[in-house]
Every structure is written in C-alpha cells, then in structure tokens.
Amino acid sequence: MYKWYEMSYYLFSKLKVKLNVQSTKYTDKFKDRFKYLVCYGLNTCNEHYSIVINEVKKIQNTGSLFLSNKYSYSKDYFYIHDYRDAILCIKTDILSDKIEIQMETDFNIYEYIEIIEDIIFCKLIQMNILPVHSSSIHFQNKGYVLAAWGG
C-alpha cells in the first residue's frame, strides 16, 4: 500500500498548485524550485486559476498522433514522453483557468520541473504577473536593478 501526499502551494496568492503524489521527491523538488514564489500564511488565494498535478501508475496513450518521439496529442490531451518513455499528460490547454496534469510515477523529475515551470510562467503572465529575476548593484551612491527574463 502506497502513502499518498496531497500538497497545495499558493504562488503570489494568485495561483494554486496542488500535487497529489505517491513520492515526496516531486513535492520536495517543487518546494525547492519555487520556494521564493510560494506565499506562506493565510490562504487568501483566489482559486480562479489552478494547476492540479496527479501522479498515476500508467497513462493510456492509445489513438494519439505523434508529433515526434517526445510529443503526441489526441482530441483533449497533450502528451510529453521522457527519455524512458514515461508520460506526462496535460488534460486541458495551458490557457484554461484550471489545468489538470497527470504524470506517470517514473516520469523524469528534472523534465517534470521544467514543464511545470513553463506552465506556471504562462499562468502568471496570463494573470498580469511577469516572472523575472534580477540583480542589483550600488555604484557611486546610486542603486541599479538589472532585470532578466526567465529562470
């Protein structure tokens, strides 16, 4: 019998990301990658926008059209295959207010983080939040902030 972990994270108090997984490796990697975006404290999140990630043993990918070895799609689903052919399935398009993702237990954790990060960035931009990182310097009594796109 496997133990299931259900974790919810609120990014910028605007976007809820819920993980339903069997392994803490996915929750730990998520927390580590997005620790600076997570809002702690009271849940004031407007759950109009949400991403739900469910870990499953196996995803049936029959009748889909392959775009390449890595990507395939069907009428309602988009599939991403990792190098071991484990599958991550996006059940709605990423511009929907609520996104449901299924991923097989053996899906590569680093590809998982890259995909989730891209989806989170798209959702944040959709909510008029521009994800940037920056550096700052102090020179001759003036402060400068140098912003860059992405992570």
Side-chain angles (χ1 to χ4, degrees):
M1 186 79 171
Y2 291 103
K3 181 176 181 181
W4 284 89
Y5 300 90
E6 183 178 305
M7 305 291 289
S8 291
Y9 303 94
Y10 300 92
L11 308 180
F12 291 106
S13 294
K14 299 277 186 189
L15 174 64
K16 178 181 180 180
V17 180
K18 182 178 178 182
L19 285 83
N20 300 309
V21 294
Q22 292 180 18
S23 171
T24 58
K25 71 179 180 179
Y26 293 111
T27 56
D28 292 346
K29 198 62 157 172
F30 184 92
K31 282 191 286 190
D32 183 55
R33 179 64 184 103
F34 300 107
K35 62 186 166 199
Y36 298 112
L37 301 180
V38 173
C39 296
Y40 295 99
L42 295 175
N43 172 14
T44 59
C45 184
N46 175 357
E47 294 185 21
H48 180 74
Y49 297 104
S50 66
I51 300 170
V52 177
I53 303 165
N54 296 308
E55 182 181 349
V56 297
K57 187 170 180 128
K58 190 74 177 155
I59 294 173
Q60 295 300 319
N61 186 13
T62 56
S64 63
L65 300 172
F66 279 81
L67 301 171
S68 68
N69 291 346
K70 188 170 178 73
Y71 306 106
S72 62
Y73 73 96
S74 65
K75 182 181 177 211
D76 298 317
Y77 306 106
F78 185 78
Y79 303 95
I80 301 171
H81 305 254
D82 71 4
Y83 67 93
R84 294 177 303 213
D85 208 33
I87 299 173
L88 181 140
C89 170
I90 302 171
K91 295 183 87 174
T92 53
D93 68 81
I94 62 168
L95 296 178
S96 296
D97 294 343
K98 299 182 187 312
I99 299 173
E100 185 179 343
I101 297 170
Q102 288 186 344
M103 98 186 132
E104 292 182 351
T105 301
D106 296 335
F107 195 82
N108 182 280
I109 193 161
Y110 298 103
E111 286 188 66
Y112 150 77
I113 286 296
E114 288 177 17
I115 293 164
I116 299 305
E117 180 177 57
D118 289 344
I119 292 171
I120 287 172
F121 278 15
C122 285
K123 297 311 296 171
L124 292 175
I125 291 170
Q126 187 179 359
M127 295 182 293
N128 296 323
I129 298 172
L130 183 62
V132 297
H133 67 269
S134 63
S135 297
S136 61
I137 58 173
H138 185 264
F139 180 70
Q140 295 180 344
N141 292 330
K142 290 187 180 179
Y144 300 91
V145 176
L146 308 168
W149 166 258

